[in-house]
Amino acid sequence: MPNYNRMDIAFDHGEGAWLFARDGRRFLDFGAGIATSSLGHGHPGLTRAIAEQAARVMHVSNLYRVPQAEQLAERLTAASFADSVFFCNSGAEANEALVKAFRKTMADEGKPERYRIICADGAFHGRTLAMISATGNAKYLAGFGPAVEGFDHVPFNNLNALRAAITPETAGILVEPIQGEGGIRPAQIEYLRGLRAAADEFSLLLGFDEVQCGMGRTGRLFAHEWAEVTPDAVSTAKGIGGGFPLGALLANERVAQHLVPGTHGTTYGGSPLACAAGNAVLDVVLAPGFLDQLRATGARLRAQLERLVAAEPTVFSAVRGQGLMLGLVCAVPNTEVQSACLTEGLLVVAAGENVIRLVPPLIISDAECDEAVARLHAAAKRCRPAMAPAATRMTAKVPAK
Ligand SMILES: *Cc1c(COP(=O)(O)O)cnc(C)c1O
């Protein structure tokens, strides 16, 4: 069906942060399949885990115990705020589970009138019928009405607006600690803390959508950890399977206890194969020192991008984000920058607010970041507006390699 606007490239294989196209071209992958191929391509630990598990047993359904899922859930809860995990296959499904769990919690706590979820402008929560309503973006809703009831929207990073939107029908709050599709827009630390305070004050549930920013992407296992805030539930997906379809809802006991048998489920979710992939990803992400290294790599990359912005002010205007979830705000159309990057052999992903996303595999090296910055600079030169004042170019600093 014509629902995707695909670029005319087909990849043959990958190796680490590199993708090799069928026509022989070679690309440095700073898109990672939209922040998903967290261990890069052809990672030996991940591919071995998948191959071995596929040969043993791929799928049994949730009629039986799945030791791989039990192990993955134990590791995720041990490393996070959560008491329990529900596995599914995508980000949208993880968010669906979160909203269902919030509504069910309120219903079981004797407040069935509390079913509404407050979401933020600029959010992205997925493409299912309910999640396009949670997302609230008119572009994604157009033609798919009527919208699913029960989602209210407030400006992002505005605590007063959020508190003013709380009504006797509010069940909870769902926000991304860093908005991904919206343009790598980080929530302020004080905002995230204020959400917890508001949730406590009004007995609401606090949920974070960490489908994109979770699983180590920002340099902590979950991005909300930077704010030292404890949510009631977190949805995650993308990076959790390293490219294998897997999603998860993590929740505390207050929320999780209400998803009793028969209330929610999935045929594929939490299969031996998907969870073997998830465990192989965690083997890397939770290895001692890995996230420390990622934070250092991210900080170094960010400093280089700041220099690039200073050197190419007619093309870029700012850097934002955390860890290896970085965005370059463009001063020319971001799609032009994206095409120029492609020409230079660098894959990046466009996002809202005229941003290009740099979300490489979490295993990216400093040398590969240097290479990406050099290619970005070459791409920027292609994008300089024709009428840019020459003086701007002459005095521009060249970013260090
Ligand atoms: C990608 C994304 C989703 C949707 O995930 P799918 O796997 O495409 O359903 C939801 N929330 C956020 C923050 C995302 O980045």
Side-chain angles (χ1 to χ4, degrees):
M1 292 194 188
N3 60 313
Y4 297 112
N5 190 12
R6 299 177 192 273
M7 286 173 225
D8 187 22
I9 311 174
F11 297 108
D12 178 72
H13 67 284
E15 218 181 287
W18 294 87
L19 273 174
F20 300 84
R22 298 178 68 164
D23 61 11
R25 284 179 292 167
R26 184 171 179 261
F27 296 88
L28 186 50
D29 187 7
F30 267 56
I34 317 186
T36 295
S37 307
S38 46
L39 305 190
H41 306 284
H43 186 276
L46 178 59
T47 52
R48 195 186 320 115
I50 291 172
E52 284 177 3
Q53 189 59 52
R56 279 181 168 278
V57 61
M58 277 190 236
H59 171 81
V60 294
S61 87
N62 289 301
L63 296 172
Y64 312 102
R65 284 181 59 181
V66 179
Q68 297 80 2
E70 291 176 13
Q71 187 195 1
L72 183 56
E74 263 158 32
R75 296 172 80 185
L76 287 170
T77 53
S80 74
F81 74 96
D83 298 315
S84 294
V85 184
F86 167 80
F87 291 112
C88 51
N89 315 286
S90 69
E93 275 180 286
N95 284 327
E96 291 272 348
L98 184 148
V99 171
K100 282 182 73 176
F102 277 14
R103 287 189 177 186
K104 188 69 164 52
T105 299
M106 286 298 167
D108 288 356
E109 288 182 355
K111 299 181 189 101
E113 74 284 1
R114 287 191 170 270
Y115 69 95
R116 304 190 69 84
I117 309 291
I118 302 178
C119 302
D121 292 343
F124 183 77
H125 298 303
R127 296 286 200 161
T128 60
L129 205 48
M131 286 310 122
I132 55 175
S133 284
T135 295
N137 184 330
K139 198 173 81 186
Y140 300 143
L141 276 161
F144 298 114
V148 170
E149 248 287 283
F151 299 96
D152 299 309
H153 290 87
V154 293
F156 188 52
N157 268 329
N158 183 331
L159 209 49
N160 289 337
L162 184 125
R163 292 178 65 94
I166 296 170
T167 74
E169 293 186 339
T170 306
I173 300 164
L174 177 60
V175 300
E176 295 155 81
I178 300 182
Q179 289 189 343
E181 309 296 310
I184 313 292
R185 299 167 78 202
Q188 289 145 13
I189 298 269
E190 287 313 316
Y191 178 68
L192 295 177
R193 292 184 182 157
L195 294 182
R196 180 72 268 176
D200 289 345
E201 190 178 332
F202 296 96
S203 294
L204 309 178
L205 296 164
L206 177 60
F208 290 132
D209 179 342
E210 298 225 20
V211 169
Q212 190 161 158
C213 62
M215 297 311 298
R217 173 69 42 199
T218 68
R220 308 287 294 265
L221 185 60
F222 291 107
H224 69 262
E225 294 168 22
W226 287 105
E228 290 165 355
V229 161
T230 307
D232 296 292
V234 163
S235 55
T236 193
K238 290 197 167 79
I240 191 175
F244 196 92
L246 177 62
L249 171 65
L250 287 75
N252 63 16
E253 190 56 20
R254 179 182 171 195
V255 171
Q257 63 177 313
H258 301 291
L259 289 190
V260 296
T263 55
H264 193 53
T266 152
T267 301
Y268 284 126
S271 74
L273 186 55
C275 293
N279 278 306
V281 169
L282 275 193
D283 287 346
V284 173
V285 171
L286 292 181
F290 181 80
L291 290 177
D292 300 302
Q293 179 60 53
L294 191 161
R295 288 195 285 271
T297 304
R300 188 175 168 279
L301 173 59
R302 194 199 172 102
Q304 286 178 295
L305 294 173
E306 303 276 7
R307 287 196 291 274
L308 176 63
V309 170
E312 295 291 341
T314 61
V315 181
F316 300 120
S317 60
V319 186
R320 57 197 192 197
Q322 180 101 47
L324 290 174
M325 185 171 181
L326 296 170
L328 272 171
V329 187
C330 300
V332 297
N334 59 352
T335 47
E336 268 176 37
V337 178
Q338 188 182 20
S339 319
C341 286
L342 196 68
T343 306
E344 295 297 336
L346 178 70
L347 304 176
V348 298
V349 188
E353 294 199 334
N354 206 32
V355 162
I356 59 164
R357 264 178 283 185
L358 303 171
V359 284
L362 306 184
I363 51 140
I364 199 83
S365 68
D366 284 344
E368 286 161 338
C369 288
D370 293 348
E371 184 61 37
V373 173
R375 291 177 187 220
L376 268 168
H377 201 177
K381 287 176 184 163
R382 293 178 181 275
C383 296
R384 284 174 182 165
M387 303 311 279
T392 314
R393 297 185 205 165
M394 302 304 287
T395 57
K397 277 186 297 175
V398 176
K401 280 209 78 173

